[in-house]
Amino acid sequence: MKLVELNLKEFAETLGSDAPAPGGGSASALAATQGVALTEMVMNLTIGKKKYAEYEDELKGIHEKAVQLREDLLVAIDKDTEAFNDVSAVFSMPKSTDEEKAERKQAMSNALKGAAKTPLEMMSLAVDALEITHQAVGKSNTNAASDLGVAALNLNAGLKGAYLNVLINLPGIKDDAFVSENRQKAEDYLAKGEELAEKIYTAIVNDLK
């Protein structure tokens, strides 16, 4: 059964069990999903209200993007665990001969590439979600301003958690060009996302004081 098909209690129990997956990657995807879902909620609480009519078209665009990002991040919850399981499967490969050892080493490198790509994709989605959340600041329902701030916090947690999952997989990959390129992508996503999250949170706090 897919993780997204579990109820909250079942997911939490599975996460807290001694099974190595799901772990931090899937939890990060869930955090980011919650974040963009909150942005979607704020749009639903704003669109159609006369007070925000001047932003109607823009807010509808944000809502549409938020719905798609929520769906993509939900997929990432299971995708991260599947990538980890691919890595774990390599450990059962034979390693009696030099040829088997070489095949196992290459298989591990390939599996780790997949395990690094998944959280990197998650980081990209989180940044996209932070961008639309930032776009909504000052243009959405003020009664739900705190929800937009919580959205930023959840998205930032998902972003940073995914970053850790990129970093932990890179050392075992025997492809220097891949490692260098994807490490840089992760650093860029992190810097951009953290800046956006801070801007959103600071703006919301200042408005609420």
Side-chain angles (χ1 to χ4, degrees):
M1 178 177 287
K2 289 185 175 296
L3 294 171
V4 294
E5 294 174 354
L6 302 176
N7 63 38
L8 289 174
K9 184 175 184 293
E10 291 168 339
F11 183 88
E13 289 174 348
T14 303
L15 192 63
S17 73
D18 60 0
S26 291
S28 297
L30 176 59
T33 302
Q34 291 179 154
V36 77
L38 281 168
T39 300
E40 178 187 352
M41 181 194 78
V42 176
M43 296 305 96
N44 282 322
L45 292 172
T46 307
I47 293 169
K49 295 188 179 297
K50 291 181 180 180
K51 184 178 178 179
Y52 309 98
E54 64 181 299
Y55 306 119
E56 184 84 0
D57 290 341
E58 185 177 0
L59 296 175
K60 285 181 178 178
I62 293 172
H63 178 268
E64 184 178 347
K65 291 176 183 176
V67 171
Q68 184 59 59
L69 286 166
R70 171 171 53 81
E71 291 299 320
D72 291 342
L73 283 163
L74 275 172
V75 171
I77 294 173
D78 277 291
K79 193 173 180 181
D80 185 87
T81 293
E82 289 164 4
F84 178 85
N85 289 338
D86 288 341
V87 173
S88 297
V90 177
F91 289 106
S92 64
M93 292 179 65
K95 52 179 180 178
S96 300
T97 66
D98 289 341
E99 183 179 355
E100 287 176 345
K101 289 177 181 178
E103 290 178 357
R104 191 173 186 269
K105 186 176 182 180
Q106 185 59 52
M108 177 59 76
S109 183
N110 291 339
L112 287 171
K113 281 185 178 181
K117 283 180 179 178
T118 299
L120 190 65
E121 292 169 0
M122 197 191 308
M123 291 185 76
S124 176
L125 294 171
V127 170
D128 288 346
L130 282 162
E131 286 180 331
I132 62 170
T133 302
H134 183 251
Q135 187 181 346
V137 174
K139 303 171 185 176
S140 51
N141 195 325
T142 54
N143 293 324
S146 60
D147 297 298
L148 215 55
V150 176
L153 291 172
N154 274 266
L155 286 166
N156 196 33
L159 173 79
K160 295 171 81 169
Y163 175 66
L164 293 176
N165 279 270
V166 172
L167 293 184
I168 200 169
N169 287 299
L170 291 180
I173 298 173
K174 308 306 177 184
D175 183 337
D176 292 342
F178 177 94
V179 170
S180 178
E181 177 185 353
N182 287 279
R183 187 186 299 277
Q184 187 58 57
K185 284 183 179 179
E187 297 288 350
D188 292 343
Y189 286 141
L190 182 68
K192 185 174 183 179
E194 284 190 315
E195 181 180 3
L196 285 166
E198 181 60 28
K199 284 181 178 179
I200 297 164
Y201 186 75
T202 300
I204 296 297
V205 168
N206 289 338
D207 284 345
L208 293 176
K209 283 184 176 179

